[in-house]
Amino acid sequence: MTVKLVCFGDSFADGKNDDTWISRLAIQHNWDRECFGLGGTGPIYAIEKFFEYVQSGQDFDIAIFCWSEPSRLHHPKVRDLNTHTSQYIPKNKTKDEIAVYEASGQYLKHFYRRDIGQLQLSGVLRWFDNYLKENFSDKLFFHFQCFNSSLKWMPGDEENFSPKDVKNWFLLHLFESGITAYPPLLYLSINDPNFVEFGDEYDRGRHGHLGAEQHILLAKLLSDYITDISRNPNWKTITISDNAGKIQHLYESFSGTWIPDLETFYQIQKK
């Protein structure tokens, strides 16, 4: 019987092109695949698409989630509401859509709190994790975080993505329903030896913001894990170390810090 792979998330979950890590993994094993990654969307969109998928009666064997930042807002029609689009509204939008983008910008400017947003997303992920564990215990899940929660970033401020600034890692949730991959995908992206800057011209040759070699090696990482899982069923984390631009997989304990509560969050931020 053919294995079915599905993926959900933002632009990092873009598996529509055959050269992406998600597609390479499916093609290598001759699996069927469906990708619901959509650039600019947030975590709630990923959860919504998952429920739409399973409630329509469709089945799967392996699911990959790429969890984006909590500041990305959710709207039933305008999907890509984030810190960038709220400032630089995409072209060719209707009057009603422009109003939504403008409203999202006002909300993010005057009401959104980054620390509370992260705690809220942490709670949502814990709830969703329990749901997956209770209802899909026979499935294999991989959970990637797209952005590093300890970094402060706005479009045009790419210097904050320097690897030297990435110190106190922390992720929003350690999933019990499947495998938590670490570090965030953004860290891999900026450690691509060919990385220059973010933007349409740059990303045109880098599907899902990753370099060609990174796609190949990340697909191999997951393939190796799936091959070994029968011998190591208790692994819960995958550590992806970047060595001269190459992704290596290490089955080790997470070396960073999780975000269990607001007090811990503030202690980390003060370091």
Side-chain angles (χ1 to χ4, degrees), residues 3-8 32-36 45-63 65 136 139:
V3 171
K4 181 65 172 293
L5 170 68
V6 293
C7 60
F8 305 89
D32 289 338
R33 73 183 188 277
E34 284 192 82
C35 294
F36 299 95
Y45 176 80
I47 293 174
E48 178 186 67
K49 296 303 293 185
F50 174 80
F51 277 112
E52 287 181 1
Y53 183 83
V54 297
Q55 289 175 359
S56 68
Q58 300 186 75
D59 198 8
F60 67 96
D61 300 285
I62 302 173
F65 286 92
F136 298 94
K139 311 299 183 183

Side-chain angles (χ1 to χ4, degrees), residues 10-12 69 72 84 88 146-148 151-163 166 184-192 194-211 214:
D10 61 5
S11 53
F12 281 102
E69 54 194 344
R72 296 191 172 187
H84 182 76
Y88 308 99
C146 300
F147 295 89
N148 188 307
L151 289 182
K152 297 179 180 179
W153 173 76
M154 290 291 286
D157 190 27
E158 277 78 15
E159 66 269 16
N160 285 327
F161 282 150
S162 172
V166 181
L185 292 171
L186 179 63
Y187 181 69
L188 303 182
S189 178
I190 64 175
N191 277 281
D192 178 4
N194 297 317
F195 176 82
V196 179
E197 61 181 354
F198 290 100
D200 294 339
E201 185 65 31
Y202 170 71
D203 283 330
R204 188 169 290 120
R206 287 168 40 95
H207 297 132
H209 311 297
L210 299 176
Q214 291 179 316

Side-chain angles (χ1 to χ4, degrees), residues 165-181:
D165 295 326
V166 181
K167 297 178 181 178
N168 294 314
W169 298 102
F170 65 86
L171 304 184
L172 297 176
H173 184 63
L174 175 59
F175 287 85
E176 295 183 7
S177 60
I179 310 305
T180 303

Side-chain angles (χ1 to χ4, degrees), residues 140 142 179 224-235:
L140 177 59
F142 289 98
I179 310 305
D224 288 350
Y225 181 87
I226 291 169
T227 301
D228 291 344
I229 194 169
S230 61
R231 297 196 298 272
N232 301 277
N234 295 320
W235 280 336

